[in-house]
mmCIF file of all heavy atoms in Angstrom:
data_model
loop_
_atom_site.group_PDB
_atom_site.id
_atom_site.type_symbol
_atom_site.label_atom_id
_atom_site.label_comp_id
_atom_site.label_asym_id
_atom_site.label_seq_id
_atom_site.Cartn_x
_atom_site.Cartn_y
_atom_site.Cartn_z
ATOM 1 N N TRP A 1442 -6.618 -0.078 -2.142
ATOM 2 C CA TRP A 1442 -7.822 0.735 -2.356
ATOM 3 C C TRP A 1442 -7.850 1.602 -3.579
ATOM 4 O O TRP A 1442 -8.788 1.926 -4.078
ATOM 5 C CB TRP A 1442 -8.031 1.693 -1.167
ATOM 6 C CG TRP A 1442 -6.971 2.676 -1.143
ATOM 7 C CD1 TRP A 1442 -5.828 2.723 -0.403
ATOM 8 C CD2 TRP A 1442 -7.108 4.003 -1.905
ATOM 9 N NE1 TRP A 1442 -5.067 3.756 -0.772
ATOM 10 C CE2 TRP A 1442 -5.823 4.607 -1.558
ATOM 11 C CE3 TRP A 1442 -7.953 4.541 -2.605
ATOM 12 C CZ2 TRP A 1442 -5.550 5.870 -2.040
ATOM 13 C CZ3 TRP A 1442 -7.772 5.852 -3.239
ATOM 14 C CH2 TRP A 1442 -6.443 6.507 -2.853
ATOM 15 N N ILE A 1445 -8.088 -2.025 -8.692
ATOM 16 C CA ILE A 1445 -7.657 -2.947 -9.650
ATOM 17 C C ILE A 1445 -8.641 -3.096 -10.812
ATOM 18 O O ILE A 1445 -9.701 -3.476 -10.661
ATOM 19 C CB ILE A 1445 -7.467 -4.439 -8.962
ATOM 20 C CG1 ILE A 1445 -6.574 -4.094 -7.640
ATOM 21 C CG2 ILE A 1445 -7.102 -5.339 -9.726
ATOM 22 C CD1 ILE A 1445 -6.597 -5.256 -6.803
ATOM 23 N N GLU A 1504 2.591 8.943 -14.799
ATOM 24 C CA GLU A 1504 2.566 8.265 -16.118
ATOM 25 C C GLU A 1504 2.166 6.787 -15.833
ATOM 26 O O GLU A 1504 2.475 6.277 -14.720
ATOM 27 C CB GLU A 1504 4.042 8.361 -16.684
ATOM 28 C CG GLU A 1504 5.176 7.736 -15.768
ATOM 29 C CD GLU A 1504 6.428 7.799 -16.440
ATOM 30 O OE1 GLU A 1504 6.547 7.820 -17.679
ATOM 31 O OE2 GLU A 1504 7.529 7.757 -15.778
ATOM 32 N N GLY A 1506 2.308 3.162 -15.182
ATOM 33 C CA GLY A 1506 3.275 2.236 -14.945
ATOM 34 C C GLY A 1506 4.592 3.013 -14.405
ATOM 35 O O GLY A 1506 5.613 2.354 -14.132
ATOM 36 N N PHE A 1526 1.859 12.774 5.349
ATOM 37 C CA PHE A 1526 2.902 12.063 4.697
ATOM 38 C C PHE A 1526 2.830 12.162 3.214
ATOM 39 O O PHE A 1526 1.760 12.016 2.607
ATOM 40 C CB PHE A 1526 2.641 10.553 5.167
ATOM 41 C CG PHE A 1526 3.625 9.658 4.638
ATOM 42 C CD1 PHE A 1526 5.065 9.864 4.794
ATOM 43 C CD2 PHE A 1526 3.336 8.502 3.944
ATOM 44 C CE1 PHE A 1526 5.930 8.925 4.302
ATOM 45 C CE2 PHE A 1526 4.264 7.602 3.380
ATOM 46 C CZ PHE A 1526 5.570 7.843 3.551
ATOM 47 N N SER A 1601 19.277 -4.858 2.375
ATOM 48 C CA SER A 1601 18.458 -3.682 2.466
ATOM 49 C C SER A 1601 17.154 -3.901 3.098
ATOM 50 O O SER A 1601 16.356 -3.005 3.335
ATOM 51 C CB SER A 1601 18.423 -3.057 1.150
ATOM 52 O OG SER A 1601 17.580 -3.910 0.280
ATOM 53 N N PHE A 1604 13.555 -9.307 5.290
ATOM 54 C CA PHE A 1604 12.988 -10.578 4.939
ATOM 55 C C PHE A 1604 14.066 -11.259 3.976
ATOM 56 O O PHE A 1604 14.877 -10.619 3.354
ATOM 57 C CB PHE A 1604 11.706 -10.452 4.227
ATOM 58 C CG PHE A 1604 11.633 -9.619 3.076
ATOM 59 C CD1 PHE A 1604 12.024 -10.056 1.888
ATOM 60 C CD2 PHE A 1604 11.201 -8.206 3.154
ATOM 61 C CE1 PHE A 1604 11.932 -9.265 0.743
ATOM 62 C CE2 PHE A 1604 11.221 -7.436 2.119
ATOM 63 C CZ PHE A 1604 11.610 -7.893 0.703
ATOM 64 N N TYR A 1631 6.911 -14.819 9.372
ATOM 65 C CA TYR A 1631 6.829 -13.872 10.520
ATOM 66 C C TYR A 1631 5.908 -12.689 10.180
ATOM 67 O O TYR A 1631 5.620 -11.988 11.129
ATOM 68 C CB TYR A 1631 8.245 -13.425 10.817
ATOM 69 C CG TYR A 1631 8.888 -12.424 9.865
ATOM 70 C CD1 TYR A 1631 8.617 -11.013 9.956
ATOM 71 C CD2 TYR A 1631 9.503 -12.907 8.698
ATOM 72 C CE1 TYR A 1631 8.981 -10.090 8.914
ATOM 73 C CE2 TYR A 1631 10.111 -11.872 7.713
ATOM 74 C CZ TYR A 1631 9.838 -10.608 7.902
ATOM 75 O OH TYR A 1631 10.264 -9.679 7.018
ATOM 76 N N ARG A 1667 -13.118 3.665 2.997
ATOM 77 C CA ARG A 1667 -14.471 4.105 2.713
ATOM 78 C C ARG A 1667 -14.505 5.382 1.660
ATOM 79 O O ARG A 1667 -13.500 5.913 1.532
ATOM 80 C CB ARG A 1667 -15.265 4.467 4.004
ATOM 81 C CG ARG A 1667 -15.268 3.451 5.130
ATOM 82 C CD ARG A 1667 -15.967 4.104 6.330
ATOM 83 N NE ARG A 1667 -15.189 5.227 6.875
ATOM 84 C CZ ARG A 1667 -15.785 6.030 7.742
ATOM 85 N NH1 ARG A 1667 -17.031 5.932 8.160
ATOM 86 N NH2 ARG A 1667 -15.045 7.099 8.118
#
Side-chain angles (χ1 to χ4, degrees):
W1442 68 268
I1445 300 169
E1504 58 180 336
F1526 181 54
S1601 66
F1604 58 85
Y1631 67 93
R1667 305 179 299 165

